[in-house]
Amino acid sequence: MLGTILLLLALAKPVCLSPDSVASRRAEALKKLLEVFGMEDPPPPPAHFKQPPQYMVDLFNTVANADGVTKNPDILEGNTVRSFLDKTHGEKMRFLFILSSVAKNEKILTAELHLFRLWPRATNGPKRHHFCQVSVYQVLEKSEPDAPGGKKLLAARLVSLQGSGWEVFAITQAVREWMEDEGSNQGLLVTVQSLGGSPLDAPPLQFASSRDHHESKKPMLVLFTDDGRRGASLPMASFPGGSYLQPQAPVLPAKMLVPKLAGPRSTRSLDRLQPCQRHPLSVDFEEIGWSGWIISPRGYNAYHCKGSCPFPLGENMRPTNHATVQSIINALKLSEGVSSPCCVPDKLYSINLLYFDDDENVVLKQYDDMVAGSCGCH
C-alpha cells in the first residue's frame, strides 16, 4: 500500500511528459490504488443525497477513529460489514433483501435482521399483556408462505410491548442458503402472536416499514463477512488511546497527488543524512475524486519512512538483529555489495472505509497494512 502511494507521489513530481501521458499515468496509478481497496472501478456516487444508516455510522465510529484507523483490531470478527434495505416497499411483515453485491468468495459469518419497533398503539381497554412473541421465517414458497412447508422458522422470542427501538434477529442460516442458490431468496416473513402462540387480528406490536416510515427506521439486513484479504505481514496493534503514535521527530506534512517542486541537491542530501523516522503522508479522497462514494473518512495519514540507518545503529532506530549485523559488515567492508540497512515500516495498522457500493448499499470494510505505525532499520 505504501509503495503504491509513493508511486503516486513520484508521478506527481514535475516531469517532461505530454498532457495525455500525464493523464494516462495518473489513471494507471489510481487504478492500482483501487486494487489495493479490492475494486476494479470506483462505485458511482448515489444519484440523490442519501443518508447512511445510523447503525453503520455508529459501527464505524466504534471500530475506527476520525481518520478511519482501527482502534482495536479484534472488534470485528471479519473485515466487511454490509447493510441492505428492504426492497418490498409494500407488504407489511414481508421483507426482501437483494444480496447480489456480495462476492462469492466472501465467507458469511453472521447475518442480522434489524427491525424498528414502533410505539404501541393506545388502547381503551386494560393492558392484559406486557410481551408478545415475534417469529422470523425464511420464505420457501413465495406465493403461499403459510402453506405447509412454505416457510422455515429462523428465530423467535418474546418482545416487550413497552417503548420503541431496534430489535435484532439472527438469520445467518437463511443468508448462507441464499448465497449458495440466489434463486432461493424469497425473502422473510415476520409474525406477531400472543403469549399463547395464537395470531392477533390487531397486533399491539408493529415494526416500521420501508414504505411508510423515515429512512432511519427502515428494515435492514446487516451482513458480517470476511473476503479473505489479510495482510498481517508486520505486527498489528491498536493505537494507545485510539490515537496515533507520536512521530519520532517533528516533520512537515506531505500531500498526496499535489505536485512539489524539487528542492536543491543540498536539501536532498541532508534528507539522506537524517536518521530513520516516520513522516506524514496524507491521502485525500476528495483530491483523487473519491469523495462522492466514500462516506468516512475524508482521508487519512498513511505515513512513510525515510532517513538513513548509519553505523552504529542505536535503539531509537528499532533495528533488528539482522540489521545490526548488516550495518557492522557494511561499516567494516567485510563483504562486497552489502549495503546499509533500509528505513522501513516495522509496525502497520489497518484503516476502515464506510462507503456506498454499486447498488447504493452502505459497506464498512477494513483494510490491513495501510498505515505505517512506526519505522525502523531493517
Side-chain angles (χ1 to χ4, degrees):
M1 170 61 192
L2 295 177
T4 301
I5 295 176
L6 292 175
L7 168 63
L8 294 174
L9 284 170
L11 292 175
K13 292 181 179 179
V15 292
C16 297
L17 297 173
S18 67
D20 289 343
S21 180
V22 171
S24 175
R25 295 185 69 180
R26 186 178 190 276
E28 181 183 0
L30 290 178
K31 183 175 179 61
K32 290 292 185 183
L33 188 57
L34 272 174
E35 291 176 3
V36 172
F37 289 104
M39 303 177 188
E40 294 184 2
D41 299 295
H48 306 285
F49 175 77
K50 193 171 183 180
Q51 191 74 29
Q54 189 60 44
Y55 173 85
M56 297 297 289
V57 175
D58 292 342
L59 183 60
F60 175 86
N61 291 332
T62 299
V63 170
N65 65 16
D67 292 324
V69 182
T70 304
K71 295 178 182 178
N72 187 328
D74 298 323
I75 293 179
L76 294 181
E77 180 182 356
N79 61 6
T80 308
V81 185
R82 300 179 182 272
S83 61
F84 305 85
L85 296 181
D86 173 44
K87 298 298 183 181
T88 56
H89 302 300
E91 295 184 68
K92 291 185 177 180
M93 310 302 273
R94 287 285 298 270
F95 307 99
L96 179 66
F97 303 95
I98 307 301
L99 308 179
S100 56
S101 60
V102 183
K104 294 297 183 181
N105 66 329
E106 289 188 46
K107 181 181 179 182
I108 307 299
L109 301 175
T110 304
E112 299 173 344
L113 174 65
H114 291 224
L115 299 177
F116 189 82
R117 176 166 46 92
L118 301 172
W119 283 94
R121 292 177 176 178
T123 57
N124 296 328
K127 295 181 179 179
R128 297 181 178 180
H129 303 290
H130 297 285
F131 295 90
C132 63
Q133 179 173 302
V134 177
S135 302
V136 179
Y137 295 90
Q138 177 183 353
V139 177
L140 304 177
E141 298 292 339
K142 183 178 180 181
S143 57
E144 299 182 28
D146 291 327
K151 61 181 184 293
K152 179 169 63 176
L153 181 64
L154 298 174
R157 71 163 180 268
L158 298 182
V159 175
S160 172
L161 296 177
Q162 307 300 317
S164 66
W166 288 98
E167 298 290 339
V168 179
F169 302 89
I171 57 169
T172 309
Q173 178 184 353
V175 172
R176 285 176 176 165
E177 292 181 11
W178 295 341
M179 290 303 300
E180 292 179 3
D181 179 10
E182 186 177 344
S184 67
N185 183 2
Q186 304 298 330
L188 302 169
L189 172 68
V190 176
T191 64
V192 178
Q193 298 175 312
S194 67
L195 291 180
S198 59
L200 300 171
D201 295 331
L205 175 66
Q206 289 191 331
F207 296 104
S209 67
S210 59
R211 181 184 64 178
D212 302 325
H213 297 90
H214 187 267
E215 187 94 10
S216 62
K217 299 179 181 178
K218 289 184 177 182
M220 181 172 62
L221 186 155
V222 178
L223 186 58
F224 297 82
T225 69
D226 195 301
D227 64 7
R229 292 168 55 90
R230 291 292 181 182
S233 56
L234 290 178
M236 294 285 293
S238 59
F239 284 134
S243 60
Y244 288 114
L245 295 176
Q246 292 298 316
Q248 293 147 329
V251 286
L252 296 175
K255 204 73 169 181
M256 181 178 171
L257 292 177
V258 177
K260 303 289 184 183
L261 295 176
R265 177 168 298 183
S266 59
T267 302
R268 295 197 298 270
S269 299
L270 182 61
D271 287 340
R272 287 195 294 269
L273 293 176
Q274 290 181 345
C276 175
Q277 59 186 338
R278 193 176 68 150
H279 296 256
L281 177 57
S282 177
V283 182
D284 191 321
F285 293 132
E286 183 174 359
E287 286 193 32
I288 60 179
W290 291 3
S291 60
W293 56 276
I294 293 182
I295 302 168
S296 290
R298 310 314 294 173
Y300 75 101
N301 199 337
Y303 291 98
H304 69 114
C305 298
K306 184 173 67 174
S308 63
C309 295
F311 175 83
L313 294 178
E315 287 300 318
N316 63 317
M317 295 184 184
R318 304 165 64 90
T320 60
N321 288 336
H322 180 274
T324 300
V325 172
Q326 181 174 334
S327 175
I328 294 170
I329 298 298
N330 171 262
L332 298 179
K333 307 299 182 185
L334 296 179
S335 180
E336 293 185 6
V338 177
S339 62
S340 62
C342 297
C343 179
V344 296
D346 62 0
K347 185 174 292 184
L348 294 170
Y349 299 127
S350 61
I351 67 165
N352 301 265
L353 289 190
L354 188 68
Y355 64 91
F356 291 104
D357 67 11
D358 291 329
D359 298 326
E360 298 189 5
N361 301 311
V362 175
V363 180
L364 169 62
K365 188 176 278 285
Q366 195 169 92
Y367 299 91
D368 290 341
D369 301 350
M370 299 293 278
V371 174
S374 61
C375 301
C377 292
H378 288 207

